[in-house]
Amino acid sequence: MAVSRPDGQISEGSDGFYHGDRRGLSLLTAHAEDVPNAPISGGPDSAEHASFRTVLRGLAEHSPDPAVTLERRRAVEPGELSETITLHNAGLTGVRVRLTLRAASDLASMETIKSGRSVSEVPWAQEKDGLSWSDGEMTARLTCTPAPDAVEQAPAETAELRYSIELGARESWQATVRCTIEDEKGEAFRPATARARAEFASGAALATADRGLDHWFARSCSDLRSLLLADPLEENDTFLAAGAPWFLTLFGRDSLWAARMLLPLGTKLAAGTLRTLARRQGAVSDPATEEQPGKILHEIRRDGLHFGDGLSVPPCYYGTVDATPLWVTLLHDAWRWGMPAEEVERLLPHAESALVWMDEYGDADGDGFLEYVDSTGRGLSNQGWKDSGDAVRHRDGRLAEPPVALCEVQAYAHEAALSAAELMRAFGRPGAERWEEWAQRLRVRFRERFWVEDADGPYPAIALGSDKQPLDALTSNIGHLLGTGLLDEEEGRLVAARLAGHHLDSGFGLRTLASDSGGFSPLGYHIGTVWPHDTAIAVQGLVRDGHHAAAESLAAGLVKASVSFDGRLPELFAGHGTGTDTRPAPYPAACRPQAWAATSAVTVLQAVLGLEADAPSGRLTVRPRMAAGYVPLRARGLRLGEREFEVAVDADGTPRVSGFADGSVSVEASGPAQ
């Protein structure tokens, strides 16, 4: 991947060309010397391509109009960045241009760059066909065609490649710059094949009355294709990397949620994600990595991570409490969306191992709740999706003491147990009654222990702390309880009302922490910012439980936010909200693109259409109860198993489904409630 300034210069901060969690190029700039360089346009054209244009003022100008421009067209693919540099002279006279390219590399690790620690550039070596930088493990090579007129040493180990170009009237000059990476160690995972990327979400398209939703959906599909990685143990199994630049690897929780959100576009990604994680499912108890039998991993890195202050995680790290139940639920949902029965059945032993982990290891103290505590002393202190050190707290701002039992993890476990019971019955395996009873006991315990109350009434606490008492912060976590079966009708109504309140609903999506809570910060990573996937999960849960008004408002907020980010919603953004801002403010270190932020577009579409699938029974339900702001609407390239279908919603809210003319699938389609 490549990260640059808006004018195309790779020059500062986290800019660079990255490969395998390392930065191959930290500097690549182009300047015409001795004349003003005035950038006029630039940015991504697609996930793999970007273009930038700069006016060179004062050259060959015979009127107030610019005459000479510098154009850079950049492309990235696995292990290679290429850039075509073109000078255009639209003037009536010839001109000489002195073009200087500056290049450098620090070969720094991703964690070092993210931390902001200073890194020295690696000395460059001149080779027959260009330059190289190497630390013995990774080598970056830069070649230029045509070769520069001169290569010179500049301060701070920077190489300057100089061209003196005679550019006649109406003429153009062009050069190609290419950086390739040679990696002795190799990556933990490799990019998906070109065929897999081409097939991903092929045919998926959306046209609605809201161009913001359309653009968000299209941009997301493009970005997601480039986040596809393949399992080196089986390259046909693909999954989504969590996000660029910081998390371009396999994450259990992130990859599972992203695959689940994308099920309306097909089950192949879900199947690949499930199998990739199943191959690495915990088999032994290892305190150093937090591996346990049946547990699904947290993340895999090339070299592990070292955060400073004694915090570090190994290359394969299992420090997560929620990935294991989420794996079981994805298997169930993928089956409902048409994942082939034989593929589902082969994974059922892994699901059974995951259930045993939930019951025996996830509930280490036997109190009936899944909880976590870092056993290494140097790993993640919080191990739910809000895994920063200050994410879990009391309402007055006091931080949690481990072990911690998160509210949403109990919901995931409840849903996983019921999902597993349904799978066991469908495939003739024993144990369904046991897990239904397990889920019922959890449901009762949750009602007894997690609910707290303030002046506005009851709501679920974010967690139970080490003393088994509720941590009473009001958070977006409660949105994850909806649609899981954990709450009864009245409890669901209370949660929906809290989500719709102004302390959580920013107008651009849900704040992670209510704005009247102790420690709230609009730019706090998990204590006040807005995470698109978090809001999208709440939207889907609200729709499942029948709270369409609240779902519609939150979905509209995400669409509004996506417009401000040109359709590429970041991992998170500031939680100031529409009461003070007309557009959301970026969070400085957010991944963009990020998998579950992008897949949220599909979840919002699914909620708008009210899509529910039951492929084993040959049924599809379409109830567009919240489509009023988007009609007329046409969604193409949706999939139920091997069948592609289309949903259209007319201006009056009437849905039409095409693609099942042979009667193989019964469709229940109903318009807005009267």
Side-chain angles (χ1 to χ4, degrees), residues 334-418:
W335 170 64
R336 296 272 295 191
W337 275 96
M339 182 175 164
E342 61 275 13
E343 296 183 25
V344 174
E345 190 166 22
R346 283 196 290 271
L347 290 170
L348 289 178
H350 294 279
E352 290 165 343
S353 295
L355 293 170
V356 171
W357 177 85
M358 283 168 41
D359 190 36
E360 296 182 5
Y361 294 92
D363 180 18
D365 61 6
D367 69 345
F369 295 115
L370 270 68
E371 58 236 336
Y372 62 83
V373 58
D374 171 41
S375 63
T376 70
R378 58 180 181 275
L380 295 174
S381 58
N382 285 315
Q383 297 187 357
W385 85 260
K386 294 179 179 177
D387 56 9
S388 54
D390 62 353
V392 184
R393 57 179 61 213
H394 296 267
R395 192 157 188 167
D396 62 10
R398 288 177 295 127
L399 299 184
E401 292 291 335
V404 171
L406 291 166
C407 68
E408 78 273 16
V409 173
Q410 315 316 313
Y412 300 161
H414 180 272
E415 187 175 18
L418 294 181

Side-chain angles (χ1 to χ4, degrees), residues 90-147:
L92 302 179
T93 58
V95 66
R96 173 176 290 181
V97 180
R98 295 174 56 220
L99 180 68
T100 299
L101 308 182
R102 294 182 176 89
S105 175
D106 55 16
L107 299 178
S109 67
M110 188 69 75
E111 74 210 61
T112 301
I113 298 162
K114 187 178 183 184
S115 73
R117 299 194 296 269
S118 60
V119 185
S120 298
E121 306 291 355
V122 174
W124 56 273
Q126 187 165 0
E127 299 184 351
K128 181 179 179 181
D129 56 351
L131 307 175
S132 67
W133 299 263
S134 182
D135 62 1
E137 183 177 280
M138 178 177 282
T139 300
R141 299 186 188 279
L142 187 75
T143 59
C144 300
T145 307

Side-chain angles (χ1 to χ4, degrees), residues 163-231:
Y163 291 90
S164 182
I165 303 152
E166 296 291 341
L167 196 60
R170 310 292 187 181
E171 286 186 355
S172 296
W173 173 92
Q174 194 168 84
T176 300
V177 178
R178 181 171 284 105
C179 179
T180 56
I181 303 294
E182 298 169 10
D183 188 359
E184 294 293 330
K185 186 170 184 178
E187 317 102 295
F189 298 99
R190 60 180 62 124
T193 64
R195 178 178 178 181
R197 295 197 301 271
E199 291 177 350
F200 176 84
S202 61
L206 180 63
T208 76
D210 190 316
R211 298 308 180 208
L213 178 58
D214 298 354
H215 185 46
W216 180 24
F217 182 87
R219 185 66 175 271
S220 294
C221 288
S222 174
D223 285 343
L224 290 166
R225 289 186 188 101
S226 289
L227 289 175
L228 275 182
L229 296 180
D231 187 346

Side-chain angles (χ1 to χ4, degrees), residues 620-639:
L620 178 73
T621 302
V622 183
R623 297 191 184 100
R625 299 286 192 265
M626 48 180 277
Y630 307 100
V631 294
L633 177 156
R634 184 185 181 195
R636 295 184 287 116
L638 305 176
R639 303 191 71 87

Side-chain angles (χ1 to χ4, degrees), residues 519-568:
F520 168 79
S521 169
L523 285 169
Y525 195 61
H526 289 130
I527 53 171
T529 52
V530 174
W531 290 63
H533 88 283
D534 185 35
T535 302
I537 290 168
V539 167
Q540 186 74 309
L542 287 163
V543 169
R544 287 178 176 173
D545 286 354
H547 305 287
H548 292 91
E552 189 170 1
S553 174
L554 290 175
L558 284 183
V559 174
K560 187 187 305 181
S562 76
V563 173
S564 294
F565 292 105
D566 193 25
R568 180 181 274 178

Side-chain angles (χ1 to χ4, degrees), residues 390-449:
D390 62 353
V392 184
R393 57 179 61 213
H394 296 267
R395 192 157 188 167
D396 62 10
R398 288 177 295 127
L399 299 184
E401 292 291 335
V404 171
L406 291 166
C407 68
E408 78 273 16
V409 173
Q410 315 316 313
Y412 300 161
H414 180 272
E415 187 175 18
L418 294 181
S419 297
E422 187 178 351
L423 287 168
M424 289 168 179
R425 283 204 172 87
F427 288 90
R429 299 175 78 95
E433 293 81 5
R434 173 195 173 187
W435 292 106
E436 286 172 340
E437 292 169 1
W438 190 92
Q440 176 59 24
R441 291 194 300 272
L442 176 58
R443 195 170 189 245
V444 171
R445 284 192 299 270
F446 187 91
R447 183 170 295 121
E448 292 172 347
R449 302 295 302 279

